[in-house]
Amino acid sequence: MTDKRELGTGTVYFHDGQWEGRIRYRDAGNKLIIKSCYAPTKEECEEKLESLKAEIGLIDKNLCSSDMPFGEWCDIWNESERGKVTQSTYELRRGLIENYLKPNLGAIPIEDITTETLGRLYSYLRRSGRSVHVSEKGEGLSMATVYSLSVQVRAIFKKAVYMKLIEKNPAKAVKIQKRKYEDVLIFSPEEIREMLTLARKYDFYEVILLSLATGIARGELVALRFRDINFKTGELKIKRMFASVKGE
């Protein structure tokens, strides 16, 4: 049975003794993708199909138009991408939207935002656009934060182009200086010996030794389990990481 519906809509039908939900869509490279889900009842299958849509980031076209406020589109975009990123990345994106995009561009229709609009926004944010922790960090955002925001805005408009809400991405032509990374500080042999000598007095010696020897990230380090170590070959596999989300 061929799905004749519009791409991204999806359909549910009974097949070989079970309900199948099938959805057809095109990825960013315009490649046709077909995905299916199965359930014993039609209601369960419909629920799974909706979850599948959210997981692959499909958006109901009936909710969107070129004249919808940019702030609304940002929320729709962020929710559509939620299944593709970690919870901490989702929260970071939402914070940037709520603190910097909505207050400055939220009410403007998507189609009316230009390259010049975004250029002025980034300049303002660098100069005096900080909305939180102003007393500790100053009025302007750091170069790294503005660059991170510009990457997010480019992705937001890329999705709008893909959905045919606008013809071209106004964020692509905005030139933002990339974040500058400071040189990595390397511990000297003397500092390492002193650190390990002190660590022996506590329960963190093995943890600190492993970190120094491998360069493993803190979130990966605390997520390690004994089953991740092959004691015969000495191989250590990094399979997961912990991240702090809202302080937890």
Side-chain angles (χ1 to χ4, degrees):
M1 178 177 179
T2 304
D3 184 357
K4 298 296 184 181
R5 294 192 181 189
E6 183 180 1
L7 291 179
T9 303
T11 187
V12 173
Y13 57 93
F14 193 71
H15 177 66
D16 290 339
Q18 63 182 340
W19 287 92
E20 178 179 352
R22 181 179 295 178
I23 190 163
R24 301 161 61 245
Y25 65 99
R26 293 191 181 277
D27 62 14
N30 204 37
K31 180 181 178 181
L32 181 64
I33 307 295
I34 300 176
K35 288 194 174 184
S36 298
C37 57
Y38 303 89
T41 67
K42 183 178 181 180
E43 291 74 17
E44 289 180 74
C45 193
E46 288 175 342
E47 290 180 4
K48 285 189 174 183
L49 184 60
E50 290 304 312
S51 297
L52 184 58
K53 288 182 183 180
E55 180 183 330
I56 59 183
L58 293 177
I59 300 172
D60 186 351
K61 292 184 178 180
N62 294 323
L63 298 176
C64 310
S65 63
S66 60
D67 62 351
M68 74 183 302
F70 180 62
E72 291 183 19
W73 172 246
C74 287
D75 288 336
I76 291 174
W77 171 82
N78 198 32
E79 289 301 322
S80 75
E81 298 290 306
R82 188 169 188 171
K84 302 177 183 178
V85 298
T86 63
Q87 182 65 18
S88 58
T89 298
Y90 166 79
E91 295 292 347
L92 173 63
R93 289 174 170 178
R94 189 172 68 169
L96 292 175
I97 289 170
E98 294 295 333
N99 292 327
Y100 304 114
L101 295 182
K102 282 188 177 181
N104 294 289
L105 303 179
I108 302 176
I110 303 172
E111 60 187 356
D112 291 344
I113 297 178
T114 65
T115 299
E116 291 72 24
T117 305
L118 296 174
R120 288 194 297 270
L121 171 66
Y122 299 150
S123 296
Y124 163 71
L125 293 176
R126 274 294 279 138
R127 184 176 64 254
S128 56
R130 186 179 297 280
S131 60
V132 293
H133 307 301
V134 177
S135 58
E136 305 114 60
K137 299 184 177 180
E139 295 183 351
L141 294 177
S142 68
M143 183 186 301
T145 300
V146 175
Y147 180 75
S148 177
L149 181 67
S150 72
V151 171
Q152 179 170 317
V153 170
R154 197 176 303 123
I156 291 171
F157 278 109
K158 181 179 180 181
K159 191 84 168 186
V161 172
Y162 173 73
M163 294 288 293
K164 294 182 170 56
L165 303 181
I166 53 178
E167 292 185 1
K168 61 180 182 178
N169 187 338
K172 288 183 68 174
V174 183
K175 303 298 181 182
I176 296 291
Q177 186 176 2
K178 291 187 177 181
R179 62 206 324 189
K180 292 182 178 179
Y181 295 96
E182 296 181 358
D183 293 336
V184 177
L185 297 178
I186 305 298
F187 291 117
S188 67
E190 293 74 19
E191 290 173 325
I192 292 176
R193 281 194 291 271
E194 184 178 350
M195 190 184 306
L196 292 177
T197 299
L198 184 61
R200 286 183 182 278
K201 299 179 181 180
Y202 302 94
D203 296 328
F204 301 110
Y205 175 77
E206 290 81 4
V207 174
I208 293 176
L209 179 61
L210 181 60
S211 178
L212 289 170
T214 64
I216 184 174
R218 182 175 60 178
E220 296 169 337
L221 186 63
V222 297
L224 285 175
R225 297 291 180 267
F226 277 111
R227 61 177 179 271
D228 299 328
I229 305 173
N230 186 326
F231 289 98
K232 293 182 179 180
T233 64
E235 183 182 27
L236 172 66
K237 291 186 177 181
I238 309 300
K239 297 182 177 180
R240 70 194 70 80
M241 70 174 295
F242 288 157
S244 175
V245 179
K246 294 185 178 180
E248 299 182 0

